[in-house]
Amino acid sequence: MKTIVYSTQPFDKEYLNKSNSGKHEILFETLPLNLKTAQLAKGCNAVCIFVNDDASAEVLKLLKGQGVSYIVARCAGTDQIDLKAARELGIKVANVPEYSPYSIAEHSVAMMMALNRKLVLADKKVKDYDFRLDDLIGFDMNEKKVGIIGLGKIGGVVAKILHGFGCRILAYDPEINDEYMKKYGVHYCSLEALCVESDIITIHAPLNEHTKYLINKKTLGLMKKGVMIINTGRGGIINTNDLIEALKSGHVGSAGLDVYEKEKGLFFFDHSHDIPEDDMFARLLTFKNVLITGHQAFLTENALTNISDTVIENIEAWEKGAKPKFEL
C-alpha cells in the first residue's frame, strides 16, 4: 500500500516510520493537501492527512483521478473531509478517534491553571527581578463551576481531573453519560444554563453545522463577567471577533486557545520572519489575559505513538481487503 503523508512534521515522520517498520511504502510531504498539491498523490493508493488539510469535494475528485482509493486522517476530527463526496467517489475514509484523551484534557487544565495563577506574567516578572505580587492574584479552583461543552472521552477526562480539584461540573452534550454523573457529579444542562452559571467554560466538541460559532455574541453575553474560556476543540466553534469584543469590554476575564478559526496556513509553520497578515490573530496576541498555543494539545509521546499505530492499522486492513476498525 503506497501512501503519501501530507502536512508532515518531523515528529510525524519519526513516529510513522517506527509504527510502519518498513511494511508499507510511505512518502512524506511537508506541503498541505489542497487543489495545487493533490497531484503529488499520483500513483499512491492512500493519502494521510491532518486537521488543516483540504479534502473538499474538488480535491477528492483530483485524488480519485490520481488513483487514490483511501484517506486516513491522523486525528479524530473529520471536518476537513467532505465525507459525502468521498462516499460518492468510492473513496474509503478512516480516522484516529482514540489516541489519547489525556493529552488534550491535561493541556486544557494546564491552560486553566496558567491563566488562573498568571504563570506567564509571573515568570516574566521574576526574570525582570520584579517580585511584586499585586497583579498575580488568582482563585481557588475548589468549588468553582466549570462548564464542559462536549463531554466525550476528552471531556470525560477533564471532568475527572476537575472533580479532583473539587470543582462543580456542568455539561452540555446531546448524550447523557451516567458514569460521569455518578463518578464526577456531572450535572447536564442546556447551553444557555451552562453559560449563565459557569466560572470557567472549556470546549471539547467537534466542529460541524451544529457547533459552528456556538460561542458568539449572544452566548458570550449570557456568561458571567470575568468568565474564563478554554478551547482545545476546534477554532471555528468560537466567533473570534465576538470573543475579542468581549475581551476588550472585560466581560471575558481570560481565554486559553489551542485552536483558532483561521489557523490553516498559520499553525504548524515558521512565520517568525513574515509580516503578520491576519489582523484578528494579531489583535488576540495583544491581550495579556489570553494564552495561545499552536494546536499542540495532542502532542505527547503516548498520543503520537497511538496515532501512528492506528494509521498503519487502517492501511493494513485496507491492503488485506478488510474494513478497518475506524472506517467512517
Side-chain angles (χ1 to χ4, degrees), residues 2 4 6 27 37-44 63 65-68:
K2 187 175 181 180
I4 181 170
Y6 283 96
L27 306 178
T37 60
Q39 62 182 337
L40 298 173
K42 186 175 183 179
C44 293
L63 290 176
Q66 303 290 344
V68 172

Side-chain angles (χ1 to χ4, degrees), residues 74-283:
R74 57 186 187 279
C75 53
T78 56
D79 52 275
Q80 74 278 40
I81 306 171
D82 190 325
L83 295 175
K84 182 175 180 291
R87 284 191 292 271
E88 291 173 352
L89 290 166
I91 297 177
K92 295 182 178 179
V93 180
N95 68 339
V96 184
E98 303 174 1
Y99 46 90
S100 175
Y102 300 98
S103 62
I104 298 172
E106 290 169 5
H107 190 84
S108 304
V109 176
M111 295 188 93
M112 288 180 203
M113 298 306 296
L115 286 166
N116 175 20
R117 303 310 299 267
K118 316 290 195 300
L119 296 184
V120 175
L121 177 59
D123 179 69
K124 182 179 184 302
K125 285 167 66 74
V126 168
K127 287 175 179 174
D128 289 337
Y129 270 70
D130 180 355
F131 299 97
R132 292 172 296 173
L133 303 178
D134 304 66
D135 51 356
L136 300 178
I137 299 171
F139 54 81
D140 288 359
M141 292 290 288
N142 184 54
E143 289 297 319
K144 288 296 180 184
K145 287 186 178 180
V146 181
I148 301 176
I149 297 176
L151 196 63
K153 286 184 169 60
I154 296 169
V157 176
V158 171
K160 177 183 179 181
I161 297 170
L162 295 178
H163 177 70
F165 283 165
C167 297
R168 299 164 66 186
I169 302 166
L170 307 177
Y172 172 66
D173 194 287
E175 294 186 15
I176 306 296
N177 188 308
D178 292 331
E179 182 183 359
Y180 294 158
M181 294 173 68
K182 292 176 183 176
K183 282 187 174 181
Y184 313 129
V186 172
H187 172 68
Y188 284 86
C189 61
S190 66
L191 177 63
E192 290 74 16
L194 182 145
C195 289
V196 169
E197 296 184 36
S198 299
D199 300 296
I200 301 170
I201 293 174
T202 180
I203 300 169
H204 304 287
L207 179 63
N208 54 42
E209 65 274 17
H210 304 295
T211 61
K212 175 72 172 178
Y213 285 167
L214 194 69
I215 304 302
N216 53 48
K217 185 176 182 179
K218 180 181 178 181
T219 49
L220 286 164
L222 294 172
M223 296 176 191
K224 291 182 178 180
K225 182 175 175 58
V227 66
M228 178 191 294
I229 299 175
I230 305 293
N231 188 10
T232 57
R234 282 290 184 268
I237 297 174
I238 294 180
N239 184 310
T240 310
N241 274 321
D242 290 349
L243 175 63
I244 288 172
E245 290 304 312
L247 285 162
K248 285 167 60 178
S249 70
H251 189 75
V252 170
S254 58
L257 309 173
D258 185 57
V259 289
Y260 169 59
E261 64 172 298
K262 293 184 178 181
E263 69 179 63
K264 185 179 291 188
L266 177 65
F267 286 6
F268 309 119
F269 299 98
D270 180 4
H271 294 286
S272 58
H273 301 292
D274 300 339
I275 297 174
E277 297 180 356
D278 187 335
D279 292 339
M280 187 165 67
F281 188 74
R283 185 67 180 93

